[in-house]
Amino acid sequence: MTPAGTPDMLSFLDHRGPQTAALPAWVADFRAAGLARYQTLGGVPTPKVEAWKYTNLRPLTALPWRPATGEDVALRVLPTDGLLSIAGPRLVLVNGRFAPHLSSPLPDGVEGEPLAEALLNDSGGLEGLLPTPANAPAMAALNAAWLGHGLVVRFAAGVDAGLPVHVVQIFAPAPDGAPVLAHPFLMVLAEAGCRATVIESHIGRAPAFVNGVCALHIETGASLFHVLAQSGSPETNAIGYATATVAKGGSYRRFTLTTGLGLVRNELAVTLAGAGAECHLYGAYTADGRRHVDNTLMVDHAAPATLSRQVFKGVLDDQGRGVFQGRIGVHPGAQKSDGHQLHKALLLSPKSEVDCKPELEIYADDVKCSHGATTGEMDEDTLFYLRTRGLDIPTARALLIEAFLDDVIDQATGDAPMVSVAARAMVSAWLASRRERRNQT
Amino acid sequence: MALIEIHDLHAAVHGKPILRGVSLSIAPGEVHAIMGPNGAGKSTLSNIIAGRPDYEITGGSITYENRDLLALAPEERAAAGIFLAFQYPVEIPGVTTTTFLKAALNAQRKARGEGEVDVMQFLKLIREKTQQLGVSDDMLKRPLNVGFSGGEKKRTEVLQMAVLEPRFAVLDETDSGLDIDALKIVAGGVNALRSATRAFLVITHYQRLLDSIIPDYVHVLAGGRIVRSGTRELALELEATGYAPFGQGSAP
Ligand SMILES: Nc1ncnc2c1ncn2[C@@H]1O[C@H](COP(=O)(O)OP(=O)(O)O)[C@@H](O)[C@H]1O
Ligand SMILES: [Mg+2]
């Protein structure tokens, strides 16, 4: 059965991954389950699917995508954008394929293995750690159907990893210039009691459609700080589905910073699976031009005394569009859970738009849950005040935009000054490019 | 030669006339005080001098250093040496007082074709001025005016004035909400800036400020017009009679 309207997404399924023959048998089953699930769900979701009401993938599927190949990896030089100024070992994927020549060795207690090798070696109980395609949403199921490339990163129990580990995803032009389709898979395993920072960068350099999946396991008492920084060409479109499972006493802190790319959807489902588990989800994004940035979060309090925080702030300009869907679910028995969610948007242009959909689903009685959302324009009185001090309108606006986003950057990176400085620099770079564009027109 | 010359100024908000022919001439070195009942139009006049866009100028002119002030954008006025200490200073979350002062100073320097201020020099300047004005280091590190008391906000306004060194400064009820000690500090800040080339327009409700900042002239603004002008003694007289003789409200 082929889902109606999406032959383009399926036509190259047979190009997938390393040679099937050498792989363990379960891989073929896993892919088949992914494909079956994708088809059952009707293929690429339309806005009629509730979770995709505000983000329409259909226009993208019409382009003549071609799956990434090993040749794309030929990229010689690592870009320096985004958060790459921060010191730390690098694991680099180009169009989803591991690029050993751009990567660097990892410290003791940290392992990084290209997924293609991990599958061949069938190492470390990989099968049991992969998200089951049978429960996946459609695009994640499609990713499962393509399982083959990506990375598995493991922080050993009790290790304090020190420098952040960079997982760099570059989306580079294919040798033939065709728009690239990639289905990278990233797994991060933070074993019991470890402390680790992963900085994931998405750097757009070419027309691309990236359909990523990320599985994060935060074991008992482990603490993972995960930064996702997205910058670069608006021709690069990246949708991603991440799941994070946080065990007893574990902590997952996430900071999603998006100042580039075209259509972006960062879907993140966190399960606070053990008592006292925490997640702190922060986000700062800009959407200008015709860019579209969707952050869809689901936090499940599945154990007692769990805590979740969601703080997202977006700046929308031109015809940019922001989407924030945040759900907090509290399972029966997850007493003393504490969940809070906040989304704030700053609209800079009358044609910019933001859709915000909070959702609380609570099945326990002794809990604290709340959400808030504001959408506003730049305050005229504040602007006038700044002008009377000598700041011209573009400078005053830039200062206020920076201040608006700094607030969440501070909260997300309070104890990580290197990340804080680099994140601010990303926002400044966005502001500078915005100003340049304005001067040209 | 006047530094600033306001001639028969008429202004309205949403079609409602507020200033009905204000004329005022201020020479370099002078301090003028404007007193008047609530709603007289004092803040309107201040805002128009600073360039707030909400007002409709329906007649008259303002000439500043031989230029048509009303033709300049607020930031151009600032670069030309105009400063307004706001009656209600704005809170700016996310921008520390220090960052703000530096941004303002550099913006004005840039507009005048000067380079950015040297960081060490800037810090020295700030330290000097904050000590004079009793502004704490803590206030410098906090976002501008956020969570500041009324008095702290007013002191920060005067700090900005001291750092930016304008040639013509309007202080719109900078004394209201201050206790007597804070009032003395603020007045000290203003007096320290008094010079033969600089002029001030001090708007106040209370004559007590004028004990510390001695004005050369006092004007009464009522119903959108200057209804009386005089010297310092006029302020004392008003203290006794209130504004009732001008047909508007009563003295504070
Ligand atoms: N932006 C505005 N919109 C509407 N009315 C205004 C505005 N600014 C001033 N006014 C009106 O103009 C009059 C004078 O106000 P204002 O200049 O603030 O007086 P003062 O500072 O002398 O107390 C008042 O009646 C006030 O309500
Ligand atoms: Mg007033």
Side-chain angles (χ1 to χ4, degrees), chain A residues 208-433:
Chain A
F209 183 5
V210 184
N211 174 37
V213 168
C214 177
L216 304 131
H217 298 273
I218 295 96
E219 295 187 349
T220 307
S223 163
L224 177 67
F225 179 27
H226 177 198
V227 183
L228 173 60
Q230 300 173 303
S231 59
S233 169
E235 287 189 303
T236 302
N237 307 284
I239 66 168
Y241 179 74
T243 53
T245 310
V246 189
K248 187 178 168 191
S251 164
Y252 177 56
R253 177 154 54 113
R254 156 85 166 233
F255 178 38
T256 307
L257 174 60
T258 309
T259 62
L261 310 186
L263 182 144
V264 170
R265 166 148 162 140
N266 298 314
E267 199 168 342
L268 172 60
V270 181
T271 307
L272 300 171
E278 295 186 1
C279 70
H280 300 259
L281 315 177
Y282 301 100
Y285 64 91
T286 65
D288 56 344
R290 293 176 168 276
R291 295 177 46 229
H292 177 112
V293 179
D294 172 340
N295 283 290
T296 294
L297 310 175
M298 290 145 287
V299 175
D300 274 304
H301 291 259
T306 45
L307 179 131
S308 71
R309 292 287 178 268
Q310 305 172 22
V311 183
F312 275 67
K313 284 182 134 184
V315 174
L316 296 308
D317 199 3
D318 308 318
Q319 297 176 65
R321 186 151 178 211
V323 178
F324 181 80
Q325 306 185 99
R327 196 179 75 89
I328 302 175
V330 180
H331 294 211
Q335 301 297 1
K336 307 273 182 221
S337 288
D338 177 348
H340 181 65
Q341 176 197 104
L342 181 66
H343 180 260
K344 286 188 172 190
L346 178 61
L347 299 180
L348 299 178
S349 117
K351 284 191 178 155
S352 61
E353 189 183 328
V354 67
D355 293 291
C356 179
K357 192 176 113 188
E359 213 179 317
L360 299 179
E361 212 174 304
I362 300 172
Y363 297 106
D365 43 26
D366 183 16
V367 300
K368 262 198 324 208
C369 278
S370 59
H371 64 83
T374 62
T375 298
E377 290 163 25
M378 203 164 267
D379 183 55
E380 286 300 323
D381 286 341
T382 309
L383 212 49
F384 172 63
Y385 186 82
L386 290 167
R387 294 178 74 193
T388 66
R389 298 311 186 237
L391 281 70
D392 59 24
I393 295 174
T395 309
R397 286 172 78 96
L399 185 73
L400 293 177
I401 294 166
E402 238 167 351
F404 178 78
L405 294 178
D406 272 359
D407 164 57
V408 68
I409 294 176
D410 274 351
Q411 293 184 57
T413 65
D415 57 353
M418 294 292 286
V419 180
S420 177
V421 168
R424 278 160 207 265
M426 257 177 82
V427 171
S428 301
W430 177 77
L431 284 166
S433 72

Side-chain angles (χ1 to χ4, degrees), chain B residues 13-14 16 18 37-44 54-55 87 173:
Chain B
V13 176
H14 310 306
K16 173 186 159 199
I18 296 177
N38 272 329
K42 302 183 298 294
S43 292
T44 301
D54 315 358
Y55 300 93
Q87 182 174 2
E173 295 203 30

Side-chain angles (χ1 to χ4, degrees), chain B residues 142-154:
Chain B
R142 272 151 61 191
L144 186 75
N145 292 328
V146 178
F148 287 21
S149 70
E152 286 175 330
K153 286 183 184 171
K154 297 302 175 76

